Every structure is written in C-alpha cells, then in structure tokens.
Amino acid sequence: MKTDLSKILSISGQHGLFLYLAQARNGAVVESLSDKKRMVADVKSRITTLEDISIYTSEGETKLREVLLKMKEVLGDSPAPSSKASAEELKGLFAKALPDYDGDRFYVSHMKKVVDWYNEIKEYASFDFTDPDEEKEEE
C-alpha cells in the first residue's frame, strides 16, 4: 500500500507520527501509526504534514520524501540509527544520504527527528510514496 505523506502528521508535543483520519470541530481526528490509538489533535497544536517538510541543503531545500528515499538507498533493509545515537553517527548517515545538507541550518536535533520518522515509516507504513504530481495530473 502506498504511503501518502500529506496524510502523515507530526504533532508538536506528541511522540511519533499520526495518520490524519478526519476533520473534527475542534481539531483533527488522528491515529497513531505505532499503536493505532485515536485522538483529537487540538486546533492549537502545531500540526505538520511530512509532505510539507524540507531539509536545508547548500543548493536550497530537499523535500523530506527525497531524503527518506536516499536514506533507504544508503541503509538498505537496515533500520536507521536510533535518535539516541551519537551526533557523529547521525552526521555520518546524513553525509552519505544527503552529502550537501546545510550543517548551519540542519541540526543534530533535526536529524534525530528524521531518523525517528524514518524508522516509524519503515515499521508501520512503506517507502512506496504516493506522488502528488501524478494525483494532480489525474484530476
């Protein structure tokens, strides 16, 4: 099954990733990817779709979708290092997967989020992403 990154959410203050299910009067109904528990994400929560996230590079920005696919090429079937891994290990991974990342604006704290997201998508979804350009053409 294809993973639609526009429906996969990161919610500030909540651990893990969530699948958008429906609009609620006071927010959005979401389901945790890992344990399938449902909750209402409040309107005041900072909710971001993974489709909207980009990583700073020396050439500009690279969409998270592309970064995750490059990480998969580097890691193969292995999981990404834990977010508790050393800064050097994380920087080494991103140096291989995204050699032109901007070290002044893409911090180790960001790398930790990306490896957590990578591992969660690997375990609970797939790297076979829907292509938003193809969907626009179909309409």
Side-chain angles (χ1 to χ4, degrees), residues 106-139:
F106 183 51
Y107 305 114
V108 172
S109 60
H110 301 143
M111 293 176 187
K112 289 179 178 186
K113 285 182 186 175
V114 173
V115 296
D116 278 345
W117 293 341
Y118 177 92
N119 286 331
E120 203 160 336
I121 289 171
K122 180 177 179 15
E123 190 167 343
Y124 302 111
S126 82
F127 291 106
D128 184 16
F129 300 127
T130 59
D131 187 352
D133 295 332
E134 285 179 12
E135 290 174 10
K136 288 177 187 170
E137 288 173 10
E138 289 175 9
E139 291 175 4

mmCIF file of all heavy atoms in Angstrom, residues 106-139:
data_model
loop_
_atom_site.group_PDB
_atom_site.id
_atom_site.type_symbol
_atom_site.label_atom_id
_atom_site.label_comp_id
_atom_site.label_asym_id
_atom_site.label_seq_id
_atom_site.Cartn_x
_atom_site.Cartn_y
_atom_site.Cartn_z
ATOM 1 N N PHE A 106 20.638 22.649 9.432
ATOM 2 C CA PHE A 106 20.068 21.313 9.674
ATOM 3 C C PHE A 106 20.837 20.709 10.838
ATOM 4 O O PHE A 106 21.921 20.177 10.685
ATOM 5 C CB PHE A 106 20.186 20.456 8.405
ATOM 6 C CG PHE A 106 19.572 19.082 8.523
ATOM 7 C CD1 PHE A 106 18.280 18.908 8.971
ATOM 8 C CD2 PHE A 106 20.293 17.955 8.160
ATOM 9 C CE1 PHE A 106 17.709 17.643 9.074
ATOM 10 C CE2 PHE A 106 19.737 16.680 8.244
ATOM 11 C CZ PHE A 106 18.450 16.536 8.706
ATOM 12 N N TYR A 107 20.254 20.840 12.029
ATOM 13 C CA TYR A 107 20.935 20.486 13.268
ATOM 14 C C TYR A 107 20.784 19.001 13.605
ATOM 15 O O TYR A 107 19.925 18.315 13.072
ATOM 16 C CB TYR A 107 20.363 21.309 14.432
ATOM 17 C CG TYR A 107 20.397 22.790 14.201
ATOM 18 C CD1 TYR A 107 19.207 23.516 14.079
ATOM 19 C CD2 TYR A 107 21.600 23.468 14.095
ATOM 20 C CE1 TYR A 107 19.225 24.884 13.873
ATOM 21 C CE2 TYR A 107 21.633 24.844 13.882
ATOM 22 C CZ TYR A 107 20.446 25.542 13.774
ATOM 23 O OH TYR A 107 20.464 26.893 13.559
ATOM 24 N N VAL A 108 21.599 18.550 14.560
ATOM 25 C CA VAL A 108 21.519 17.170 15.034
ATOM 26 C C VAL A 108 20.118 16.892 15.596
ATOM 27 O O VAL A 108 19.578 15.809 15.403
ATOM 28 C CB VAL A 108 22.615 16.872 16.073
ATOM 29 C CG1 VAL A 108 22.413 15.500 16.711
ATOM 30 C CG2 VAL A 108 23.997 16.953 15.426
ATOM 31 N N SER A 109 19.501 17.874 16.245
ATOM 32 C CA SER A 109 18.145 17.673 16.775
ATOM 33 C C SER A 109 17.158 17.385 15.638
ATOM 34 O O SER A 109 16.238 16.579 15.803
ATOM 35 C CB SER A 109 17.680 18.895 17.576
ATOM 36 O OG SER A 109 17.671 20.054 16.759
ATOM 37 N N HIS A 110 17.355 18.013 14.481
ATOM 38 C CA HIS A 110 16.514 17.725 13.314
ATOM 39 C C HIS A 110 16.798 16.318 12.795
ATOM 40 O O HIS A 110 15.884 15.589 12.408
ATOM 41 C CB HIS A 110 16.762 18.729 12.189
ATOM 42 C CG HIS A 110 16.492 20.151 12.564
ATOM 43 N ND1 HIS A 110 17.258 21.188 12.102
ATOM 44 C CD2 HIS A 110 15.554 20.706 13.363
ATOM 45 C CE1 HIS A 110 16.789 22.324 12.587
ATOM 46 N NE2 HIS A 110 15.760 22.055 13.362
ATOM 47 N N MET A 111 18.079 15.950 12.766
ATOM 48 C CA MET A 111 18.463 14.608 12.298
ATOM 49 C C MET A 111 17.797 13.535 13.154
ATOM 50 O O MET A 111 17.349 12.513 12.635
ATOM 51 C CB MET A 111 19.982 14.446 12.344
ATOM 52 C CG MET A 111 20.723 15.321 11.377
ATOM 53 S SD MET A 111 22.508 15.126 11.604
ATOM 54 C CE MET A 111 23.100 16.411 10.516
ATOM 55 N N LYS A 112 17.727 13.780 14.469
ATOM 56 C CA LYS A 112 17.110 12.812 15.369
ATOM 57 C C LYS A 112 15.638 12.606 15.017
ATOM 58 O O LYS A 112 15.146 11.481 15.014
ATOM 59 C CB LYS A 112 17.243 13.271 16.823
ATOM 60 C CG LYS A 112 18.660 13.171 17.339
ATOM 61 C CD LYS A 112 18.763 13.652 18.770
ATOM 62 C CE LYS A 112 20.191 13.484 19.275
ATOM 63 N NZ LYS A 112 20.294 13.803 20.701
ATOM 64 N N LYS A 113 14.928 13.696 14.707
ATOM 65 C CA LYS A 113 13.522 13.577 14.307
ATOM 66 C C LYS A 113 13.402 12.781 13.019
ATOM 67 O O LYS A 113 12.537 11.908 12.887
ATOM 68 C CB LYS A 113 12.905 14.961 14.098
ATOM 69 C CG LYS A 113 12.599 15.706 15.351
ATOM 70 C CD LYS A 113 11.951 17.034 15.009
ATOM 71 C CE LYS A 113 11.765 17.876 16.245
ATOM 72 N NZ LYS A 113 11.244 19.206 15.922
ATOM 73 N N VAL A 114 14.265 13.081 12.052
ATOM 74 C CA VAL A 114 14.183 12.415 10.748
ATOM 75 C C VAL A 114 14.452 10.916 10.889
ATOM 76 O O VAL A 114 13.740 10.105 10.292
ATOM 77 C CB VAL A 114 15.128 13.074 9.719
ATOM 78 C CG1 VAL A 114 15.171 12.279 8.425
ATOM 79 C CG2 VAL A 114 14.691 14.515 9.434
ATOM 80 N N VAL A 115 15.451 10.517 11.695
ATOM 81 C CA VAL A 115 15.705 9.072 11.843
ATOM 82 C C VAL A 115 14.556 8.391 12.583
ATOM 83 O O VAL A 115 14.206 7.253 12.261
ATOM 84 C CB VAL A 115 17.078 8.739 12.491
ATOM 85 C CG1 VAL A 115 18.224 9.196 11.629
ATOM 86 C CG2 VAL A 115 17.199 9.270 13.895
ATOM 87 N N ASP A 116 13.954 9.081 13.552
ATOM 88 C CA ASP A 116 12.770 8.507 14.220
ATOM 89 C C ASP A 116 11.641 8.323 13.213
ATOM 90 O O ASP A 116 10.984 7.279 13.191
ATOM 91 C CB ASP A 116 12.295 9.405 15.366
ATOM 92 C CG ASP A 116 13.082 9.202 16.643
ATOM 93 O OD1 ASP A 116 13.807 8.196 16.754
ATOM 94 O OD2 ASP A 116 12.959 10.056 17.548
ATOM 95 N N TRP A 117 11.391 9.337 12.396
ATOM 96 C CA TRP A 117 10.335 9.251 11.383
ATOM 97 C C TRP A 117 10.647 8.141 10.389
ATOM 98 O O TRP A 117 9.765 7.379 10.004
ATOM 99 C CB TRP A 117 10.181 10.578 10.642
ATOM 100 C CG TRP A 117 9.671 11.703 11.485
ATOM 101 C CD1 TRP A 117 9.003 11.625 12.680
ATOM 102 C CD2 TRP A 117 9.794 13.096 11.197
ATOM 103 N NE1 TRP A 117 8.700 12.885 13.140
ATOM 104 C CE2 TRP A 117 9.172 13.808 12.257
ATOM 105 C CE3 TRP A 117 10.365 13.822 10.156
ATOM 106 C CZ2 TRP A 117 9.108 15.194 12.283
ATOM 107 C CZ3 TRP A 117 10.304 15.208 10.189
ATOM 108 C CH2 TRP A 117 9.676 15.876 11.248
ATOM 109 N N TYR A 118 11.908 8.045 9.962
ATOM 110 C CA TYR A 118 12.325 7.001 9.020
ATOM 111 C C TYR A 118 11.982 5.625 9.585
ATOM 112 O O TYR A 118 11.369 4.791 8.906
ATOM 113 C CB TYR A 118 13.826 7.107 8.727
ATOM 114 C CG TYR A 118 14.341 6.022 7.818
ATOM 115 C CD1 TYR A 118 14.379 6.210 6.440
ATOM 116 C CD2 TYR A 118 14.779 4.795 8.325
ATOM 117 C CE1 TYR A 118 14.840 5.208 5.594
ATOM 118 C CE2 TYR A 118 15.235 3.791 7.482
ATOM 119 C CZ TYR A 118 15.256 4.007 6.128
ATOM 120 O OH TYR A 118 15.703 3.005 5.282
ATOM 121 N N ASN A 119 12.386 5.397 10.833
ATOM 122 C CA ASN A 119 12.151 4.083 11.449
ATOM 123 C C ASN A 119 10.663 3.796 11.630
ATOM 124 O O ASN A 119 10.222 2.668 11.450
ATOM 125 C CB ASN A 119 12.897 3.977 12.779
ATOM 126 C CG ASN A 119 14.386 3.809 12.574
ATOM 127 O OD1 ASN A 119 14.840 3.264 11.567
ATOM 128 N ND2 ASN A 119 15.164 4.313 13.513
ATOM 129 N N GLU A 120 9.885 4.821 11.943
ATOM 130 C CA GLU A 120 8.445 4.614 12.119
ATOM 131 C C GLU A 120 7.775 4.311 10.776
ATOM 132 O O GLU A 120 6.924 3.432 10.688
ATOM 133 C CB GLU A 120 7.806 5.840 12.789
ATOM 134 C CG GLU A 120 6.521 5.479 13.460
ATOM 135 C CD GLU A 120 6.080 6.470 14.526
ATOM 136 O OE1 GLU A 120 6.903 7.195 15.095
ATOM 137 O OE2 GLU A 120 4.862 6.486 14.778
ATOM 138 N N ILE A 121 8.169 5.013 9.729
ATOM 139 C CA ILE A 121 7.610 4.735 8.400
ATOM 140 C C ILE A 121 8.031 3.346 7.939
ATOM 141 O O ILE A 121 7.225 2.590 7.387
ATOM 142 C CB ILE A 121 8.041 5.816 7.387
ATOM 143 C CG1 ILE A 121 7.316 7.126 7.705
ATOM 144 C CG2 ILE A 121 7.738 5.375 5.955
ATOM 145 C CD1 ILE A 121 7.813 8.314 6.920
ATOM 146 N N LYS A 122 9.293 2.982 8.196
ATOM 147 C CA LYS A 122 9.784 1.653 7.811
ATOM 148 C C LYS A 122 8.967 0.550 8.482
ATOM 149 O O LYS A 122 8.601 -0.424 7.854
ATOM 150 C CB LYS A 122 11.266 1.516 8.189
ATOM 151 C CG LYS A 122 11.871 0.175 7.843
ATOM 152 C CD LYS A 122 13.343 0.174 8.194
ATOM 153 C CE LYS A 122 14.073 -1.101 7.917
ATOM 154 N NZ LYS A 122 13.508 -2.084 7.092
ATOM 155 N N GLU A 123 8.636 0.744 9.771
ATOM 156 C CA GLU A 123 7.941 -0.295 10.523
ATOM 157 C C GLU A 123 6.428 -0.319 10.292
ATOM 158 O O GLU A 123 5.824 -1.381 10.228
ATOM 159 C CB GLU A 123 8.224 -0.130 12.022
ATOM 160 C CG GLU A 123 7.742 -1.306 12.832
ATOM 161 C CD GLU A 123 8.284 -1.298 14.247
ATOM 162 O OE1 GLU A 123 9.264 -0.600 14.525
ATOM 163 O OE2 GLU A 123 7.696 -2.016 15.080
ATOM 164 N N TYR A 124 5.795 0.864 10.167
ATOM 165 C CA TYR A 124 4.340 0.922 10.169
ATOM 166 C C TYR A 124 3.709 1.383 8.854
ATOM 167 O O TYR A 124 2.490 1.421 8.742
ATOM 168 C CB TYR A 124 3.846 1.838 11.292
ATOM 169 C CG TYR A 124 4.332 1.399 12.651
ATOM 170 C CD1 TYR A 124 5.263 2.163 13.352
ATOM 171 C CD2 TYR A 124 3.882 0.216 13.223
ATOM 172 C CE1 TYR A 124 5.721 1.755 14.593
ATOM 173 C CE2 TYR A 124 4.343 -0.198 14.467
ATOM 174 C CZ TYR A 124 5.258 0.582 15.143
ATOM 175 O OH TYR A 124 5.716 0.172 16.366
ATOM 176 N N ALA A 125 4.511 1.763 7.888
ATOM 177 C CA ALA A 125 3.967 2.218 6.594
ATOM 178 C C ALA A 125 4.875 1.641 5.502
ATOM 179 O O ALA A 125 5.295 0.497 5.616
ATOM 180 C CB ALA A 125 3.905 3.747 6.554
ATOM 181 N N SER A 126 5.158 2.407 4.466
ATOM 182 C CA SER A 126 6.078 1.950 3.428
ATOM 183 C C SER A 126 6.759 3.143 2.786
ATOM 184 O O SER A 126 6.305 4.282 2.909
ATOM 185 C CB SER A 126 5.342 1.131 2.369
ATOM 186 O OG SER A 126 4.716 1.982 1.445
ATOM 187 N N PHE A 127 7.849 2.865 2.101
ATOM 188 C CA PHE A 127 8.562 3.924 1.379
ATOM 189 C C PHE A 127 8.062 4.038 -0.057
ATOM 190 O O PHE A 127 8.654 4.732 -0.869
ATOM 191 C CB PHE A 127 10.072 3.673 1.403
ATOM 192 C CG PHE A 127 10.653 3.839 2.782
ATOM 193 C CD1 PHE A 127 11.032 2.752 3.534
ATOM 194 C CD2 PHE A 127 10.796 5.099 3.329
ATOM 195 C CE1 PHE A 127 11.550 2.910 4.803
ATOM 196 C CE2 PHE A 127 11.306 5.273 4.599
ATOM 197 C CZ PHE A 127 11.690 4.175 5.342
ATOM 198 N N ASP A 128 6.976 3.355 -0.359
ATOM 199 C CA ASP A 128 6.318 3.479 -1.661
ATOM 200 C C ASP A 128 5.335 4.635 -1.531
ATOM 201 O O ASP A 128 4.177 4.456 -1.190
ATOM 202 C CB ASP A 128 5.606 2.167 -1.999
ATOM 203 C CG ASP A 128 4.976 2.187 -3.375
ATOM 204 O OD1 ASP A 128 5.335 3.085 -4.176
ATOM 205 O OD2 ASP A 128 4.121 1.329 -3.645
ATOM 206 N N PHE A 129 5.845 5.853 -1.766
ATOM 207 C CA PHE A 129 5.052 7.052 -1.528
ATOM 208 C C PHE A 129 4.151 7.366 -2.708
ATOM 209 O O PHE A 129 4.509 7.119 -3.854
ATOM 210 C CB PHE A 129 5.959 8.261 -1.277
ATOM 211 C CG PHE A 129 6.854 8.107 -0.090
ATOM 212 C CD1 PHE A 129 8.215 8.306 -0.202
ATOM 213 C CD2 PHE A 129 6.344 7.768 1.154
ATOM 214 C CE1 PHE A 129 9.056 8.175 0.892
ATOM 215 C CE2 PHE A 129 7.171 7.629 2.258
ATOM 216 C CZ PHE A 129 8.532 7.831 2.125
ATOM 217 N N THR A 130 2.992 7.933 -2.404
ATOM 218 C CA THR A 130 2.139 8.458 -3.475
ATOM 219 C C THR A 130 2.850 9.683 -4.032
ATOM 220 O O THR A 130 3.581 10.366 -3.323
ATOM 221 C CB THR A 130 0.748 8.859 -2.953
ATOM 222 O OG1 THR A 130 0.913 9.845 -1.936
ATOM 223 C CG2 THR A 130 -0.023 7.688 -2.433
ATOM 224 N N ASP A 131 2.629 9.969 -5.297
ATOM 225 C CA ASP A 131 3.276 11.102 -5.948
ATOM 226 C C ASP A 131 2.244 12.208 -6.135
ATOM 227 O O ASP A 131 1.289 12.039 -6.894
ATOM 228 C CB ASP A 131 3.850 10.674 -7.292
ATOM 229 C CG ASP A 131 4.684 11.743 -7.949
ATOM 230 O OD1 ASP A 131 4.707 12.888 -7.435
ATOM 231 O OD2 ASP A 131 5.337 11.451 -8.962
ATOM 232 N N PRO A 132 2.414 13.347 -5.456
ATOM 233 C CA PRO A 132 1.412 14.410 -5.578
ATOM 234 C C PRO A 132 1.305 14.950 -7.004
ATOM 235 O O PRO A 132 0.236 15.387 -7.422
ATOM 236 C CB PRO A 132 1.911 15.508 -4.623
ATOM 237 C CG PRO A 132 3.287 15.129 -4.240
ATOM 238 C CD PRO A 132 3.480 13.682 -4.560
ATOM 239 N N ASP A 133 2.382 14.884 -7.784
ATOM 240 C CA ASP A 133 2.324 15.349 -9.178
ATOM 241 C C ASP A 133 1.422 14.446 -10.025
ATOM 242 O O ASP A 133 0.682 14.916 -10.875
ATOM 243 C CB ASP A 133 3.730 15.391 -9.802
ATOM 244 C CG ASP A 133 4.610 16.423 -9.096
ATOM 245 O OD1 ASP A 133 4.057 17.420 -8.555
ATOM 246 O OD2 ASP A 133 5.840 16.237 -9.062
ATOM 247 N N GLU A 134 1.478 13.120 -9.769
ATOM 248 C CA GLU A 134 0.615 12.190 -10.512
ATOM 249 C C GLU A 134 -0.845 12.430 -10.173
ATOM 250 O O GLU A 134 -1.707 12.369 -11.041
ATOM 251 C CB GLU A 134 0.981 10.739 -10.167
ATOM 252 C CG GLU A 134 2.257 10.262 -10.799
ATOM 253 C CD GLU A 134 2.580 8.829 -10.390
ATOM 254 O OE1 GLU A 134 1.715 8.156 -9.826
ATOM 255 O OE2 GLU A 134 3.713 8.410 -10.660
ATOM 256 N N GLU A 135 -1.140 12.716 -8.901
ATOM 257 C CA GLU A 135 -2.522 12.959 -8.489
ATOM 258 C C GLU A 135 -3.075 14.202 -9.147
ATOM 259 O O GLU A 135 -4.237 14.232 -9.550
ATOM 260 C CB GLU A 135 -2.589 13.103 -6.964
ATOM 261 C CG GLU A 135 -2.326 11.790 -6.239
ATOM 262 C CD GLU A 135 -2.256 11.951 -4.730
ATOM 263 O OE1 GLU A 135 -2.597 13.041 -4.225
ATOM 264 O OE2 GLU A 135 -1.857 10.988 -4.065
ATOM 265 N N LYS A 136 -2.257 15.238 -9.329
ATOM 266 C CA LYS A 136 -2.707 16.466 -9.977
ATOM 267 C C LYS A 136 -3.026 16.201 -11.449
ATOM 268 O O LYS A 136 -3.970 16.747 -11.989
ATOM 269 C CB LYS A 136 -1.657 17.556 -9.864
ATOM 270 C CG LYS A 136 -1.537 18.123 -8.462
ATOM 271 C CD LYS A 136 -0.427 19.149 -8.372
ATOM 272 C CE LYS A 136 -0.209 19.566 -6.929
ATOM 273 N NZ LYS A 136 0.994 20.373 -6.769
ATOM 274 N N GLU A 137 -2.200 15.350 -12.076
ATOM 275 C CA GLU A 137 -2.423 15.036 -13.491
ATOM 276 C C GLU A 137 -3.726 14.270 -13.684
ATOM 277 O O GLU A 137 -4.422 14.452 -14.672
ATOM 278 C CB GLU A 137 -1.249 14.211 -14.035
ATOM 279 C CG GLU A 137 0.022 15.015 -14.196
ATOM 280 C CD GLU A 137 1.206 14.148 -14.583
ATOM 281 O OE1 GLU A 137 1.021 12.961 -14.904
ATOM 282 O OE2 GLU A 137 2.329 14.657 -14.547
ATOM 283 N N GLU A 138 -4.065 13.399 -12.718
ATOM 284 C CA GLU A 138 -5.298 12.609 -12.831
ATOM 285 C C GLU A 138 -6.529 13.490 -12.724
ATOM 286 O O GLU A 138 -7.550 13.209 -13.323
ATOM 287 C CB GLU A 138 -5.324 11.537 -11.735
ATOM 288 C CG GLU A 138 -4.320 10.422 -11.968
ATOM 289 C CD GLU A 138 -4.282 9.452 -10.812
ATOM 290 O OE1 GLU A 138 -5.135 9.533 -9.903
ATOM 291 O OE2 GLU A 138 -3.369 8.614 -10.787
ATOM 292 N N GLU A 139 -6.433 14.569 -11.968
ATOM 293 C CA GLU A 139 -7.573 15.474 -11.812
ATOM 294 C C GLU A 139 -7.733 16.262 -13.078
ATOM 295 O O GLU A 139 -8.616 16.540 -13.682
ATOM 296 C CB GLU A 139 -7.338 16.435 -10.645
ATOM 297 C CG GLU A 139 -7.368 15.714 -9.325
ATOM 298 C CD GLU A 139 -7.009 16.676 -8.170
ATOM 299 O OE1 GLU A 139 -6.826 17.873 -8.407
ATOM 300 O OE2 GLU A 139 -6.923 16.192 -7.047
#
